[in-house]
Amino acid sequence: MKARVTVTLKTGVLDPQGKAIEGALGGLGFSGVLGARQGKIIDLDLAETDRAKAEADIRAMCEKLLANTVIENYSVEIKG
Amino acid sequence: MKARVTVTLKTGVLDPQGKAIEGALGGLGFSGVLGARQGKIIDLDLAETDRAKAEADIRAMCEKLLANTVIENYSVEIKG
């Protein structure tokens, strides 16, 4: 079963990488960029075939390893 | 107008960060992980209000800065 985990910084958390992207886009002549925030995705391939069990497993992975829940939000999308 | 750009490594391109995640998950006792690939997202906030124009702008940004099209694929999702 395939799934995608999306990890984004919480609102209010400073994002220097996003700021760098915003600045670089401005420097390249893209003037209408009001903001940029960077996050990450992790595409997982799991042996588990039960959808609910897979989602529960992935949430546990996020809490333990994939996301820092103090400063990051995560969402899980099961692709089947 | 808000948009999300998703950048992923092309199939066949080595992904050491994904391999590290896979190994770390195994080490934490998550045994059913067959594979992990890491990618990134960039959430953009644009002044442009025309959907088609915004998408064209973002594709240009991807080609010039956000993605390395030799080794990465990108997709653009306009959120309105």
Side-chain angles (χ1 to χ4, degrees), chain A residues 32 34-35 37 39-41 43 45 47, chain B residues 32 34-35 37 39 41 43 45 47:
Chain A
L34 307 177
R37 304 272 290 170
K40 62 189 168 181
I41 55 174
D43 285 324
D45 190 3
Chain B
L34 306 178
R37 303 273 290 171
I41 55 173
D43 285 324
D45 189 4

Side-chain angles (χ1 to χ4, degrees), chain A residues 4 6 8 21 24-25 28 30 32-47 57 61 65-66, chain B residues 4 6 8 21 24-25 28 30 32-47 61 65-66:
Chain A
R4 172 165 286 184
T6 305
T8 51
I21 291 170
L25 287 173
L28 285 171
F30 295 103
V33 181
L34 307 177
R37 304 272 290 170
Q38 175 151 6
K40 62 189 168 181
I41 55 174
I42 299 132
D43 285 324
L44 293 169
D45 190 3
L46 300 180
D57 280 354
M61 293 174 196
L65 179 76
L66 302 179
Chain B
R4 171 166 287 184
T6 305
T8 52
I21 291 171
L25 287 172
L28 285 170
F30 295 103
V33 181
L34 306 178
R37 303 273 290 171
Q38 175 151 7
K40 61 189 170 182
I41 55 173
I42 298 131
D43 285 324
L44 293 169
D45 189 4
L46 300 181
M61 292 175 197
L65 178 76
L66 302 179

Side-chain angles (χ1 to χ4, degrees), chain B residues 60-73:
Chain B
M61 292 175 197
C62 289
E63 296 287 336
K64 280 196 183 162
L65 178 76
L66 302 179
N68 175 352
T69 54
V70 177
I71 57 166
E72 292 171 330
N73 292 319

Side-chain angles (χ1 to χ4, degrees), chain A residues 2-80:
Chain A
K2 292 187 187 295
R4 172 165 286 184
V5 175
T6 305
V7 180
T8 51
L9 283 172
K10 288 185 180 177
T11 312
V13 176
L14 282 179
D15 178 8
Q17 208 169 355
K19 282 284 168 208
I21 291 170
E22 199 180 324
L25 287 173
L28 285 171
F30 295 103
S31 54
V33 181
L34 307 177
R37 304 272 290 170
Q38 175 151 6
K40 62 189 168 181
I41 55 174
I42 299 132
D43 285 324
L44 293 169
D45 190 3
L46 300 180
E48 182 62 54
T49 53
D50 181 70
R51 199 181 178 90
K53 182 72 171 52
E55 184 163 346
D57 280 354
I58 294 171
R59 289 194 175 276
M61 293 174 196
C62 288
E63 296 287 336
K64 281 195 184 163
L65 179 76
L66 302 179
N68 175 352
T69 54
V70 177
I71 56 166
E72 292 171 330
N73 292 319
Y74 64 86
S75 65
V76 177
E77 180 194 352
I78 304 284
K79 299 187 160 186

